[in-house]
Amino acid sequence: MGETAHDHHQPPPPQAAAAAAPPPPPSLALSRGPTWTPAEQLQQLQYCIHSNPSWPETCLLAFQHYIVMLGTTVLIARYLVPQMGGGPGDTAHVIQTMLFMTGINTLLQTIIGTRLPTVMGPSYAFVLPVLSIIRDYNNESFSNEHDRFVDTMRTIQGSLIVSSFISIILGYSKGMGPITVVPVVSLVGLGLFMRGFPLLANCVEIGLPDADSANNLSVYEESSSQGPTLYLRGLACSSALVSFGLFAAILTVSGAYNNVKQQTKQSCRTDRSYFISSAAWVKIPYPFQWGAPIFRASHVFGMIGAALVSSAESTGTFFAAARLAGATHPPAHVLSRSIGLQGVSLLLDGIFGAAVGTTASVENVGLLGLTHIGSRRVVQVSTAFMFFFSIFGKFGALFASIPLPIFAAIYCVLFGIVAAVGISFIQFSNNNSMRNHYVLGLALFLGISIPQYFISNTTGDGHGPVRTDGGWFNDILNTLFSSPPTVAMIVGTLLDNTLESRQTINDRGIPWWKPFQNRKGDVRTDEFYSMPLKINEWMPTRFL
């Protein structure tokens, strides 16, 4: 798992400590428990970023990553495509395309991006700009709904292609410190709370047992024999999702949902998506499959706002992934490289016609913590499942038909792990500084409160609280301020770099943070983030 972590918080010499403060009373000293020094790398992992399980275990864990990321893909497609005018066959086609692009973008990011074990899946940040495009086409006449769907997809393609260049030239690593990282990473997990229990509650009879199953498998007694424990962890999420999906199918066939309200039928029944019957047996996504892109300036600006948000959210997710994979904090140049590559992924999403852009998958990073497996190879192998099930549609549709509350049950555990990892970054700063408490508290509170206001005041067709005469301006602000990590990044960075910033450098954790801002600042950087083979010999130095 790499060399021993540098300790930037060395305790003072015994003589200095004794002079600084008198020894505690015996009774108080006896009441204190053990103390732990800050640790840059987690030591409880069975496999870290560059160590690999056996091939059978790798395939099992890789399938689990595919299953976990599938829920977000299905949720976004099922929400957007019907509003575009698409039917079940179009929804299945969009899911296949998004799965295919997830495989490509994940390979790119793990090979020449951050090199962290992160799945690059579809992003919720692009939903509002897409809804804006849908609204415009609702006012136009078409010979049939499918034509409206195709034109909407072509416009999404054009907007994604243009907005991709924003991410290509941007990086989000500069200006942040440990104090800012805490709320940003925490809200990457907490900001998705609406995809947890609120979605699970639509079908509690299968959602709650699924959540309990995942929780019981994640809380276990450490075993000296890693083999059986690893297999149990490998089966934790995937077995729960598949088994409860079968349970939902049995309830559907037995007629348990025949006399319930419509929302329950939609959430619990396995035959409401019609994916299996409408999906093609074999279909390979290809560039411009919906036709030539349509470029409209008003929609491009909305997508640019979403690109900014997805970049900010990915940055927070990368921090969590590095910690849960047993790597050190990703250096500034690696983060810039990864965000630039995310722009390339966004360009590919537009070329191939994915319904939304790309971001680092929070649920898959949470899976690293649940399984204690941070292997890069596992995530890379998972792309094979993404490619297979995106091309052979009938097989992919079988898993895509699992009711969404079952996915939500797993997300309750996975999102919580990512939120907790964000909190762990506070150990690198002064936990007893009232100044730090103020910055953290305000960034966390506003990071939840402001997006909640924007989301609560957004209509079903995507009209947010900012409603000026400029539609593109509305889309940018409504998208930016609906993202908890983005708001936390703005508030935290502003406060941390202005409020007594120079006088409190040590309290802010800058001595720990500074080495990671330089290319050669930490001797372990190349171990985790160097390019494979000899790619560094032909790539420009500023991208390495």
Side-chain angles (χ1 to χ4, degrees):
M1 288 181 56
E3 302 176 19
T4 304
H6 296 316
D7 190 354
H8 296 289
H9 295 263
Q10 292 288 348
Q15 297 86 351
S27 59
L28 180 59
L30 292 175
S31 66
R32 288 177 177 173
T35 58
W36 292 270
T37 56
E40 293 174 351
Q41 295 169 268
L42 297 178
Q43 303 298 318
Q44 301 92 344
L45 301 177
Q46 289 189 11
Y47 294 93
C48 66
I49 186 171
H50 47 46
S51 59
N52 304 305
S54 67
W55 279 108
E57 295 168 341
T58 294
C59 292
L60 175 65
L61 292 162
F63 177 72
Q64 179 171 302
H65 274 281
Y66 159 74
I67 285 290
V68 166
M69 62 77 51
L70 186 60
T72 297
T73 305
V74 173
L75 180 61
I76 291 177
R78 287 179 60 175
Y79 178 67
L80 291 178
V81 174
Q83 297 189 62
M84 297 180 193
D90 297 317
T91 304
H93 190 180
V94 169
I95 290 174
Q96 288 176 264
T97 302
M98 289 197 292
L99 280 176
F100 189 80
M101 296 313 303
T102 297
I104 291 178
N105 295 331
T106 299
L107 279 180
L108 287 175
Q109 196 64 245
T110 56
I111 293 175
I112 59 174
T114 59
R115 304 272 292 146
L116 292 168
T118 50
V119 172
M120 302 300 295
S123 171
Y124 291 108
F126 293 86
V127 169
L128 286 181
V130 169
L131 288 175
S132 179
I133 296 174
I134 293 172
R135 285 199 309 271
D136 279 3
Y137 279 108
N138 284 339
N139 299 325
E140 298 185 13
S141 58
F142 296 90
S143 58
N144 55 67
E145 283 292 272
H146 182 72
D147 288 346
R148 181 166 71 90
F149 164 75
V150 171
D151 275 19
T152 303
M153 288 298 302
R154 291 169 60 196
T155 305
I156 293 172
Q157 282 185 261
S159 301
L160 287 173
I161 289 172
V162 176
S163 64
S164 67
F165 294 101
I166 296 299
S167 292
I168 291 175
I169 62 176
L170 284 181
Y172 273 88
S173 55
K174 295 182 179 179
M176 293 177 61
I179 293 299
T180 310
V181 169
V182 174
V184 171
V185 179
S186 295
L187 290 183
V188 163
L190 294 177
L192 296 171
F193 67 93
M194 288 302 294
R195 276 80 183 182
F197 191 84
L199 187 58
L200 177 156
N202 291 332
C203 196
V204 292
E205 63 270 24
I206 56 177
L208 282 180
D210 187 21
D212 183 63
S213 174
N215 183 64
N216 289 337
L217 285 169
S218 65
V219 181
Y220 66 96
E221 183 178 354
E222 291 287 349
S223 171
S224 59
S225 175
Q226 292 187 355
T229 303
L230 175 58
Y231 272 112
L232 284 176
R233 287 176 181 166
L235 288 169
C237 288
S238 54
S239 63
L241 285 167
V242 174
S243 60
F244 281 99
L246 291 174
F247 178 54
I250 293 173
L251 291 178
T252 300
V253 174
S254 65
Y257 298 120
N258 289 347
N259 299 310
V260 297
K261 58 183 181 180
Q262 188 61 33
Q263 182 181 359
T264 303
K265 289 182 179 180
Q266 197 66 35
S267 300
C268 302
R269 294 183 69 98
T270 58
D271 58 357
R272 287 290 169 173
S273 62
Y274 306 105
F275 290 155
I276 298 177
S277 60
S278 57
W281 277 104
V282 179
K283 194 174 187 67
I284 301 176
Y286 56 91
F288 306 117
Q289 57 185 325
W290 310 108
I294 297 175
F295 299 95
R296 291 189 176 182
S298 59
H299 299 310
V300 167
F301 285 108
M303 285 294 185
I304 288 175
L308 294 172
V309 169
S310 65
S311 297
E313 293 176 347
S314 289
T315 301
T317 308
F318 290 145
F319 288 146
R323 192 145 179 77
L324 290 171
T328 54
H329 168 67
H333 71 280
V334 171
L335 290 173
S336 296
R337 180 176 79 198
S338 69
I339 296 302
L341 187 62
Q342 187 170 328
V344 175
S345 297
L346 193 58
L347 176 62
L348 293 174
D349 289 333
I351 291 175
F352 277 82
V356 293
T358 294
T359 192
S361 171
V362 180
E363 52 267 37
N364 288 88
V365 171
L367 191 59
L368 303 179
L370 180 66
T371 60
H372 293 198
I373 308 295
S375 171
R376 182 192 297 125
R377 177 186 291 175
V378 168
V379 171
Q380 291 175 333
V381 172
S382 72
T383 62
F385 291 101
M386 299 170 196
F387 290 135
F388 177 84
F389 289 113
S390 65
I391 294 173
F392 299 97
K394 293 290 187 184
F395 298 101
L398 182 64
F399 294 106
S401 299
I402 296 175
L404 294 175
I406 296 179
F407 288 101
I410 299 294
Y411 292 165
C412 290
V413 177
L414 302 183
F415 292 158
I417 291 174
V418 174
V421 167
I423 296 172
S424 73
F425 279 93
I426 199 174
Q427 65 184 304
F428 305 114
S429 61
N430 183 0
N431 296 341
N432 297 313
S433 167
M434 292 296 292
R435 181 260 185 201
N436 288 351
H437 293 170
Y438 173 79
V439 174
L440 285 175
L442 196 59
L444 280 169
F445 183 82
L446 292 181
I448 295 175
S449 183
I450 292 176
Q452 184 59 34
Y453 166 78
F454 274 77
I455 293 172
S456 299
N457 289 277
T458 298
T459 61
D461 59 354
H463 280 291
V466 179
R467 301 185 185 182
T468 66
D469 292 335
W472 61 270
F473 180 76
N474 300 340
D475 289 342
I476 290 177
L477 290 187
N478 288 326
T479 300
L480 285 175
F481 291 104
S482 294
S483 168
T486 304
V487 174
M489 180 179 287
I490 294 172
V491 175
T493 301
L494 180 64
L495 292 177
D496 193 37
N497 287 279
T498 57
L499 185 63
E500 300 178 349
S501 58
R502 293 188 177 183
Q503 302 93 318
T504 57
I505 287 179
N506 290 332
D507 285 350
R508 294 167 58 202
I510 300 304
W512 170 78
W513 182 267
K514 190 174 181 179
F516 298 108
Q517 302 305 300
N518 303 317
R519 192 178 302 274
K520 301 296 183 181
D522 192 287
V523 296
R524 298 161 293 176
T525 296
D526 286 343
E527 178 184 357
F528 300 114
Y529 301 105
S530 61
M531 292 290 191
L533 304 176
K534 296 183 179 181
I535 294 179
N536 59 312
E537 294 183 3
W538 53 267
M539 284 191 70
T541 304
R542 62 193 180 92
F543 292 118
L544 298 176

